[in-house]
Amino acid sequence: QVHLVESGGGSVQAGGSLRLTCVVSGATYIMYTHCMGWFREAPGKEREEVATIRRNDIASYADSVKGRFTISQDNAKNTLYLQMNSLKPEDTAMYYCVARTCSAGNVIQWGQGTQVTVSS
């Protein structure tokens, strides 16, 4: 079984930056066999898949974060990152690290989440 633990959330002013970290433990091979990504969920809004990386190679982003967020993974450290720059108040949400199948997109594990709050 794989376990995902996020950290790095916090409060920041608009225009600021944060880096989220997700440490993968247990079945760490999943970083090679599945897609890793970040979802976010804000009150009153639909859950959104923010960024996904496929086997440490191909990354994809939601239109709302393109050019501002960068996803990466360090397989040697069993860690997934989300670098968030030029943050906006609308980026305020709970951010979740996920492991999912690449083809069907089924999420097989969620982290516990880390809160990001951006003030104007």
Side-chain angles (χ1 to χ4, degrees), residues 9-86:
S11 296
V12 65
Q13 288 193 326
S17 299
L18 285 172
R19 188 175 79 158
L20 304 184
T21 297
C22 173
V23 176
V24 182
S25 62
T28 56
Y29 66 84
I30 206 168
M31 296 186 75
Y32 297 89
T33 61
H34 286 65
C35 283
M36 303 296 297
W38 294 90
F39 278 72
R40 67 184 180 187
E41 193 165 358
K45 295 184 180 180
E46 287 190 8
R47 182 183 295 166
E48 179 181 27
E49 184 169 14
V50 174
T52 301
I53 189 164
R54 183 185 180 112
R55 295 165 192 156
N56 200 22
D57 186 6
I58 302 169
S60 61
Y61 300 92
D63 287 343
S64 57
V65 306
K66 276 181 183 175
R68 300 188 298 121
F69 290 11
T70 303
I71 188 172
S72 61
Q73 65 182 69
D74 185 335
N75 290 344
K77 295 182 178 180
N78 297 322
T79 302
L80 180 74
Y81 302 100
L82 184 68
Q83 178 66 43
M84 305 186 296
N85 298 329
S86 302

Side-chain angles (χ1 to χ4, degrees), residues 84-118:
M84 305 186 296
N85 298 329
S86 302
L87 282 162
K88 304 176 181 180
E90 51 263 43
D91 294 318
T92 296
M94 185 71 79
Y95 284 71
Y96 298 91
C97 174
V98 303
R100 65 171 184 81
T101 60
C102 293
S103 54
N106 297 319
V107 176
I108 61 171
Q109 188 60 276
W110 294 83
Q112 85 286 353
T114 186
Q115 177 68 37
V116 171
T117 302
V118 184

